[in-house]
Amino acid sequence: MQPGTAIALLWLIWAATWAAAALWADPAQKRAGFRAEVRYRVLWLVGAVLLFIPAHGYEGRLRLWMPNFAEAWICVALIAIGIAFAWWARLHLGRLWSGTITAKAGHHVVDTGPYELVRHPIYTGLLLAILATMAAKGTVWGIAGTALLIIGIVTKARLEESFLRGELGSAYDDYARRVPMLVPFAPVRYGS
C-alpha cells in the first residue's frame, strides 16, 4: 500500500465511523443555533475541500515540497495517532458528545482521560491529523485548506467555550483555569 492510499483510507474510515457513532449521543436539551455555527462550518467545508485536492503525481508550481517515502509514512502514523486521540476523547465523552454546540440532560464538566490534557481533545487529535495530511501533500492547496480548518476549529472551540461557560458556570471556569484549550502541556491562559 502507498502512503497516499493509507491517508485516504484513514480519513474515510474516520468519517464513516464518526458519522455512524453520532447515533450513540443523547438528545440535546439546548443548542447554540445555526447562526452561531455557520461560520466554522463554512471554514471546515472549504478547508476540507482544499486539503483533500489530490496531490499524487502533481509536480507543478503549487507543490512546495515532496516528502520522501519514509517521511510520508511518518505522516501516515501521525494521522493515525491524531485520529486515535480524537476517538479516545469521543469515547470518553460518551453520550455527552454532539457534532453541534449543545447541552445535554445532566451535562457536566468532563475532566478525566484526554480531557485532563486539553479541554478540546477531539480537536487536538484532528489538528494533528490535519497538519500531518498537509505535510504529506506539500501543496499550496493543502496549506490553504489546513489554515482554514485551523481557523474553523479554533472558532468552534471558542464558541463551545462561551456556551459551556454559560451552561456550566464556575465549574467550567475552574476547569479552564487548570487545563489548556488545545495544546497539551501548554501554559494555561484563562479565557483562551
Side-chain angles (χ1 to χ4, degrees):
M1 177 181 305
Q2 293 296 312
T5 304
I7 291 169
L9 282 174
L10 281 170
W11 280 111
L12 287 171
I13 290 168
W14 172 79
T17 57
W18 203 260
L23 300 173
W24 301 337
D26 283 340
Q29 297 294 314
K30 184 176 179 183
R31 294 185 186 279
F34 178 77
R35 279 193 173 168
E37 295 185 350
V38 74
R39 292 177 292 175
Y40 76 80
R41 290 187 181 274
V42 169
L43 290 165
W44 284 7
L45 176 64
V46 175
V49 167
L50 289 171
L51 181 62
F52 292 106
I53 289 175
H56 181 73
Y58 178 74
E59 295 187 20
R61 291 186 322 247
L62 299 178
R63 177 173 290 284
L64 303 176
W65 65 83
M66 180 70 159
N68 65 35
F69 194 70
E71 292 166 342
W73 278 108
I74 289 169
C75 290
V76 171
L78 290 172
I79 293 165
I81 290 167
I83 288 172
F85 190 75
W87 259 112
W88 177 35
R90 176 140 180 208
L91 292 171
H92 193 76
L93 196 57
R95 299 181 67 83
L96 291 176
W97 177 86
S98 175
T100 59
I101 300 171
T102 61
K104 310 283 182 123
H107 210 101
H108 60 279
V109 174
V110 175
D111 61 358
T112 57
Y115 292 87
E116 288 180 280
L117 301 172
V118 287
R119 296 190 307 265
H120 300 280
I122 291 172
Y123 302 150
T124 299
L126 293 178
L127 284 169
L128 175 60
I130 289 164
L131 288 166
T133 301
M134 177 202 68
K137 289 190 172 274
T139 63
V140 170
W141 300 301
I143 293 169
T146 297
L148 291 174
L149 287 166
I150 290 170
I151 293 166
I153 286 171
V154 170
T155 298
K156 185 176 183 199
R158 288 189 174 168
L159 284 169
E160 283 183 10
E161 295 271 307
S162 177
F163 184 83
L164 290 170
R165 280 190 173 96
E167 292 299 308
L168 303 173
S170 63
Y172 196 83
D173 287 336
D174 293 342
Y175 176 55
R177 284 186 192 98
R178 294 189 323 267
V179 179
M181 186 175 184
L182 290 168
V183 180
F185 313 112
V188 177
R189 291 183 349 175
Y190 180 68
S192 64

